[in-house]
Amino acid sequence: MSTNFNDIVKQGSVRIKNKLGMYQESWLILRRPSSRGPLRLEKFKNEKASMLMESGGKCIELKDIYEIDNIRKDNKSTVNVMFENGKCFQIAVILESEATAWTMFLREFCRLSEQREGPPGMDLLLNSNMQDVFNVFLVETPLLNVCGECLLQVTYDSIYLLDVDDPKRRVTVWPLPSLRRYSRDASKFIFESGRSCKTGEGIFIFNTIHSEDIYQKVSGASNALARLYASPEANGPNLSSNVSPTRNSEQRPLPPTPGVSNSS
């Protein structure tokens, strides 16, 4: 968990090849995934423009990448980021050490290096269940002694809160059957936990760009559990007797929260 989370992995002055084949001076930022955005490169005219977040900055999402290499020629190093669709994003720098650093970080976070293990727990984010782990920002609450940037993992029966710096560490868990209600708007996912949860009863708010995806995952898993425990096999020996069917989020609206829509 991190209240002072910094998603900038590397930044600096580079030259970017444009559509006309010419190199232009730019300020480039490599950002790791967070509640504010995916793994990406952001290109600005200069450092001042990046600090002011002026319009005109270009965002390159780093997905579907099959190779990243570093070529040294004519006293200039060029880092080539090659996408599966055939496109190539080229970064030119004078110092070979800078090219090596850009290549190393890009390959590390894009998981193209076989020699490096990458950031702690990154394998959890990039395994077959990657679509079920989301970057979120937990709003401060008296029910937990942590807040800030973190990860939310949705499984078939629970929501797990993970440490963003060490995703293998589970901070707490909320079983889906114990959720009273859940909702979302364009930038938040919200739920109310019941008394049986480790955190006790209360409302938890997560700022995230993935609010709709989280809502759909939770809703799908909750409905599946409800159907499972409503079936004749629900009384079989393989199912726990202390688990109740998941409540439907549509039963009652969440209490009003300033600036948050409770529409489902």
Side-chain angles (χ1 to χ4, degrees), residues 36-47:
R36 298 182 293 273
L39 179 65
R40 63 200 185 277
L41 288 168
E42 293 180 350
K43 181 174 74 75
F44 297 89
K45 291 187 299 183
N46 48 50
E47 184 179 10

Side-chain angles (χ1 to χ4, degrees), residues 152-154 158-161 172-174 176 179 189 191 218:
L152 215 59
Q153 181 182 30
V154 182
S158 300
I159 297 177
Y160 291 93
L161 185 66
T172 192
V173 58
W174 296 278
L176 291 179
L179 300 187
F189 175 71
F191 66 78
V218 172

Side-chain angles (χ1 to χ4, degrees), residues 8-13 27-30 47 50-51 98 102:
I8 296 179
V9 177
K10 181 172 175 55
Q11 62 180 326
S13 178
W27 187 264
L28 193 64
I29 301 176
L30 172 60
E47 184 179 10
S50 72
M51 296 175 66
E98 272 294 286
W102 277 108

Side-chain angles (χ1 to χ4, degrees), residues 205-249:
I205 302 174
F206 301 89
N207 295 328
T208 177
I209 61 171
H210 306 293
S211 56
E212 182 63 28
D213 293 331
I214 298 174
Y215 178 85
Q216 294 300 333
K217 287 289 182 182
V218 172
S219 180
S222 297
N223 291 335
L225 281 178
R227 290 193 299 269
L228 176 64
Y229 289 108
S231 66
E233 291 80 8
N235 296 321
N238 294 328
L239 296 178
S240 173
S241 60
N242 63 351
V243 179
S244 60
T246 308
R247 293 177 175 84
N248 190 311
S249 67

Side-chain angles (χ1 to χ4, degrees), residues 19-255:
K19 294 180 180 180
L20 299 177
M22 301 175 62
Y23 285 92
Q24 294 180 325
E25 294 289 339
S26 304
W27 187 264
L28 193 64
I29 301 176
L30 172 60
R31 293 187 184 273
R32 63 182 291 188
S34 73
S35 59
R36 298 182 293 273
L39 179 65
R40 63 200 185 277
L41 288 168
E42 293 180 350
K43 181 174 74 75
F44 297 89
K45 291 187 299 183
N46 48 50
E47 184 179 10
K48 181 180 179 181
S50 72
M51 296 175 66
L52 298 175
M53 296 302 290
E54 292 180 353
S55 59
K58 182 180 180 181
C59 178
I60 301 96
E61 187 172 353
L62 296 175
K63 66 177 183 179
D64 300 327
I65 294 174
Y66 77 90
E67 185 57 279
I68 297 173
D69 64 21
N70 177 0
I71 299 175
R72 183 73 179 177
K73 185 178 180 181
D74 299 330
N75 295 322
K76 179 179 67 176
S77 292
T78 303
V79 180
N80 299 299
V81 181
M82 290 168 278
F83 295 81
E84 293 180 358
N85 61 6
K87 293 183 179 181
C88 180
F89 184 76
Q90 296 183 306
I91 307 167
V93 292
I94 300 298
L95 296 177
E96 188 173 2
S97 59
E98 272 294 286
T100 300
W102 277 108
T103 303
M104 179 188 69
F105 285 119
L106 284 166
R107 290 180 64 85
E108 182 177 277
F109 278 86
C110 293
R111 301 299 291 162
L112 295 179
S113 175
E114 297 179 355
Q115 288 73 37
R116 300 181 64 86
E117 295 182 356
M122 184 61 76
D123 56 329
L124 173 64
L125 297 179
L126 299 175
N127 66 11
S128 59
N129 292 323
M130 178 183 177
Q131 65 272 20
D132 299 327
V133 179
F134 305 93
N135 290 89
V136 298
F137 186 97
L138 173 62
V139 176
E140 186 175 3
T141 168
L143 300 174
L144 283 173
N145 59 1
V146 294
C147 64
E149 194 75 23
C150 53
L151 299 170
L152 215 59
Q153 181 182 30
V154 182
T155 68
Y156 73 97
D157 66 348
S158 300
I159 297 177
Y160 291 93
L161 185 66
L162 311 178
D163 190 324
V164 70
D165 295 317
D166 182 10
K168 293 182 179 180
R169 186 174 78 87
R170 290 176 170 175
V171 179
T172 192
V173 58
W174 296 278
L176 291 179
S178 66
L179 300 187
R180 292 176 176 172
R181 291 159 288 175
Y182 52 92
S183 186
R184 85 293 197 199
D185 66 11
S187 61
K188 296 179 178 65
F189 175 71
I190 314 148
F191 66 78
E192 181 181 4
S193 60
R195 296 179 183 176
S196 60
C197 293
K198 291 182 178 180
T199 57
E201 57 184 340
I203 294 176
F204 295 86
I205 302 174
F206 301 89
N207 295 328
T208 177
I209 61 171
H210 306 293
S211 56
E212 182 63 28
D213 293 331
I214 298 174
Y215 178 85
Q216 294 300 333
K217 287 289 182 182
V218 172
S219 180
S222 297
N223 291 335
L225 281 178
R227 290 193 299 269
L228 176 64
Y229 289 108
S231 66
E233 291 80 8
N235 296 321
N238 294 328
L239 296 178
S240 173
S241 60
N242 63 351
V243 179
S244 60
T246 308
R247 293 177 175 84
N248 190 311
S249 67
E250 306 290 343
Q251 286 183 341
R252 292 178 296 156
L254 285 162

